[in-house]
Amino acid sequence: MSNLRKTEAPVSTVTLDKNKIDAPTDNIYEAISIIAKRATQINSEIKKELIEKLEEFATYTDSLEEIFENKEQIEVSKFYEKLPKPQAIAVEEWLNDKIYYRNTEKEA
């Protein structure tokens, strides 16, 4: 998920024009459903990548009392905390026509 650094999705809340969101489908509920499914995909990709990166720095000990503060883990975690939310990334992709979707009911 190397394009996370290149995303132009806002980090904070932004008001969007409803007409731009539902323009491709002419149905706001269908558009939101597509965006929500993409946000779920993005979230799982981010979570997988974060776990993989944190595993690189993991130190395993037999004692639960020993806690190691690994600066690399902290930096990786801070990077992911500062990223835009998956929903914001999905909305940005939707508005830029980067999400492929199809309506199977219309095809049948």
Side-chain angles (χ1 to χ4, degrees):
M1 185 97 201
S2 60
N3 61 353
L4 283 176
R5 293 183 177 115
K6 298 177 185 175
T7 186
E8 295 177 11
V11 179
S12 61
T13 305
V14 177
T15 303
L16 300 169
D17 183 7
K18 175 191 128 355
N19 295 328
K20 288 182 181 178
I21 293 176
D22 69 2
T25 60
D26 292 327
N27 185 336
I28 189 70
Y29 302 106
E30 185 178 357
I32 290 173
S33 176
I34 294 167
I35 292 169
K37 288 178 184 177
R38 179 62 184 138
T40 302
Q41 291 173 344
I42 293 169
N43 190 45
S44 64
E45 291 172 11
I46 291 172
K47 184 177 179 182
K48 179 183 174 192
E49 185 178 299
L50 175 61
I51 289 171
E52 287 174 359
K53 288 190 178 191
L54 290 178
E55 285 291 320
E56 294 175 12
F57 305 111
T59 55
Y60 300 101
T61 60
D62 293 336
S63 175
L64 293 175
E65 295 174 5
E66 296 180 33
I67 299 175
F68 295 101
E69 287 190 13
N70 191 328
K71 291 183 181 182
E72 290 86 5
Q73 282 180 323
I74 293 170
E75 291 301 316
V76 168
S77 296
K78 284 183 179 180
F79 169 77
Y80 281 93
E81 286 177 2
K82 292 178 183 176
L83 286 177
K85 302 288 183 218
Q87 299 85 346
I89 297 171
V91 169
E92 186 243 345
E93 288 180 358
W94 176 255
L95 293 175
N96 293 326
D97 295 325
K98 294 181 180 178
I99 297 177
Y100 170 77
Y101 68 95
R102 63 183 184 156
N103 189 335
T104 56
E105 291 178 3
K106 290 181 182 177
E107 293 175 6

